[in-house]
Amino acid sequence: MSDVIYKEEKLSNLFECKSGNSKYTKGYCNAHSGEYEVYTGSTLQKFASLNTYDYDEPNLSFTTDGEYAGTLKVLRGKYNVGGHRKILVRKDEYLDLDYFSIILQSKFYEKVKKGDVPSVNWNQSLSNIIIKVPVTENGQYDMERQKEIALKYKEIEKQKLILLKKIEYLNTVKVKIEKEKVKYSFEKLNNMVIHKNGKSEYTKEYCKKNSGNIPVYSGNNNSPLAYMNKADYSGEYLTYSKNGCAGYIKILNGYFSINGDRSVIILNKKYSSLNLLYLKYYLEPIFRANIKGRIGVNGKNEYTKLNSTMIKKLNIEVPIPIKENGIYDIEKQKEIAQKIAVIESIKQDLYEKVISLINIRVF
């Protein structure tokens, strides 16, 4: 695509942003039911229908808040737009909506403000996005070229999804170790552990004011949020992310603290000698299978949640290897954990290779 001529434009120069009509609640729509769909931001599925319509032309739209904040959708036909959604009306007829839906999606997700209710704001962030638009030699927006690029992107994304589904299946496959000559005691997780939530006041600003060398972990499963001068925990613990990419388990060891986006699992005295890596490999697939919210691609732009209340309702039973005399078999736990670790390492290597292919930019 080296022969394509691009012009950089600020998004507000290309589109006018209009708010949806907040009066289109469920109650209002039920009282004025009809054939014309109402699009809101509370769900990506059908919300309701009305007997009248506000729009009869295609428009680009996006969700303003909630778990789908920043999600773009091209609306077509006769329809209405309710609360929690805005539409972007073209200022030039030579702008292809599918092109902009594809090109803008990752940029919109980057602008989402995280919190209890994720949100994105047109005036404060989206309107100033700079985007490249194909133009003809005389400077007019090249709609045919936009359509061509959009079609190629769609085909590439289709192939990426095929790869992703394969790798996601691989990641969801639970490793099974042969149970020959191994006895298990099935223990209820609710009886085994106490969930201890982190402190919401541990923000980056708080840590900056209380600077130190103690890591503070949040929902990020890869690295600490910041460092401060005190530790709430000392030792080795299972912890899991509650928000963001929720449900992933990380074993933390040494001195550390956690904020409100992470929880520590404290084993009751009876189970304190159990192998944490064994527990991680057993529990993590179950946790991830029960998260709520928007699941991202490759873990990007994901906004999911999982908390202790949700986990307790699952009534999870954990199979723990035991010896002939009924005592927990610590060595067998280690052996199983080590075998799983080798397989997980192979899976991770395959995953990273696929992700590197998926992340190759074509245009």
Side-chain angles (χ1 to χ4, degrees), residues 115-129:
D116 291 337
V117 181
S119 62
V120 66
N121 187 284
W122 170 256
N123 292 324
Q124 293 178 9
S125 57
L126 300 180
S127 64
N128 293 318
I129 290 176

Side-chain angles (χ1 to χ4, degrees), residues 173-316:
V173 171
K174 189 175 178 181
V175 178
K176 291 185 178 180
I177 303 298
E178 289 295 330
K179 294 185 177 180
E180 293 180 8
K181 300 180 182 179
V182 179
K183 289 187 176 181
Y184 291 88
S185 172
F186 290 84
E187 306 284 348
K188 292 187 179 296
L189 182 66
N190 291 343
N191 297 332
M192 293 173 59
V193 305
I194 297 172
H195 300 261
K196 189 90 171 177
N197 293 327
K199 296 179 181 178
S200 58
E201 63 263 32
Y202 291 169
T203 62
K204 284 186 177 180
E205 283 153 5
Y206 179 95
C207 295
K208 191 175 181 180
K209 291 178 182 177
N210 299 273
S211 182
N213 60 1
I214 303 299
V216 179
Y217 290 89
S218 64
N220 187 320
N221 294 284
N222 299 316
S223 58
L225 171 75
Y227 293 83
M228 67 178 189
N229 55 13
K230 68 173 182 176
D232 291 336
Y233 296 92
S234 172
E236 190 175 26
Y237 293 89
L238 288 175
T239 74
Y240 62 91
S241 51
K242 295 169 54 186
N243 298 304
C245 291
Y248 285 111
I249 293 175
K250 185 178 184 69
I251 297 175
L252 296 179
N253 196 5
Y255 293 94
F256 67 91
S257 294
I258 60 170
N259 77 356
D261 291 322
R262 183 164 289 275
S263 184
V264 167
I265 294 177
I266 300 176
L267 294 174
N268 292 326
K269 187 175 181 179
K270 177 182 176 182
Y271 307 96
S272 60
S273 63
L274 297 183
N275 184 271
L276 297 187
L277 193 59
Y278 173 82
L279 293 176
K280 167 186 161 66
Y281 284 138
Y282 183 79
L283 293 173
E284 189 173 76
I286 300 174
F287 283 14
R288 283 294 291 171
N290 288 278
I291 56 176
K292 302 294 182 183
R294 183 181 75 201
I295 299 176
V297 179
N298 314 332
K300 295 180 180 178
N301 306 310
E302 177 172 321
Y303 193 85
T304 53
K305 66 178 181 179
L306 181 77
N307 56 44
S308 59
T309 301
M310 295 164 66
I311 293 171
K312 289 174 183 176
K313 287 181 179 179
L314 298 175
N315 292 315
I316 299 169

Side-chain angles (χ1 to χ4, degrees), residues 4-16:
V4 180
I5 303 172
Y6 288 97
K7 180 181 180 181
E8 288 191 343
E9 288 279 14
K10 189 161 73 168
L11 196 56
S12 58
N13 292 336
L14 301 173
F15 292 91
E16 176 189 358

Side-chain angles (χ1 to χ4, degrees), residues 36-188:
Y36 304 109
E37 187 158 353
V38 178
Y39 294 94
T40 73
S42 59
T43 176
L44 294 181
Q45 308 303 319
K46 184 175 180 179
F47 174 73
S49 298
L50 287 174
N51 52 15
T52 59
Y53 58 88
D54 292 335
Y55 298 97
D56 188 16
E57 68 281 334
N59 281 302
L60 191 58
S61 72
F62 66 93
T63 304
T64 58
D65 54 276
E67 61 189 69
Y68 300 112
T71 302
L72 286 156
K73 183 179 180 68
V74 178
L75 306 181
R76 293 184 169 90
K78 297 177 180 179
Y79 58 89
N80 301 281
V81 178
H84 308 285
R85 180 173 289 277
K86 292 184 185 292
I87 64 168
L88 299 178
V89 181
R90 288 177 288 193
K91 292 184 178 181
D92 190 294
E93 62 179 320
Y94 293 103
L95 300 177
D96 181 67
L97 297 180
D98 289 322
Y99 171 82
F100 285 94
S101 176
I102 293 168
I103 299 301
L104 286 171
Q105 185 58 88
S106 62
K107 295 180 182 293
F108 270 47
Y109 280 152
E110 288 171 2
K111 297 294 184 179
V112 173
K113 183 179 179 181
K114 298 296 192 287
D116 291 337
V117 181
S119 62
V120 66
N121 187 284
W122 170 256
N123 292 324
Q124 293 178 9
S125 57
L126 300 180
S127 64
N128 293 318
I129 290 176
I130 303 297
I131 190 168
K132 291 182 178 180
V133 186
V135 294
T136 60
E137 291 183 355
N138 62 11
Q140 184 183 63
Y141 298 129
D142 192 337
M143 195 166 193
E144 291 306 312
R145 184 66 79 177
Q146 293 172 52
K147 288 181 178 180
E148 178 186 338
I149 293 173
L151 283 172
K152 290 187 176 183
Y153 261 116
K154 285 181 179 179
E155 181 57 34
I156 291 169
E157 292 303 312
K158 180 180 176 182
Q159 296 305 316
K160 284 183 178 180
L161 283 174
I162 292 172
L163 277 174
L164 276 174
K165 285 180 180 178
K166 290 180 179 179
I167 202 68
E168 285 171 1
Y169 171 75
L170 179 64
N171 282 335
T172 57
V173 171
K174 189 175 178 181
V175 178
K176 291 185 178 180
I177 303 298
E178 289 295 330
K179 294 185 177 180
E180 293 180 8
K181 300 180 182 179
V182 179
K183 289 187 176 181
Y184 291 88
S185 172
F186 290 84
E187 306 284 348
K188 292 187 179 296

Side-chain angles (χ1 to χ4, degrees), residues 330-340:
I330 305 302
E331 291 305 314
K332 182 58 68 174
Q333 292 174 49
K334 289 181 181 178
E335 179 187 332
I336 293 173
Q338 287 169 359
K339 288 180 179 179
I340 297 176

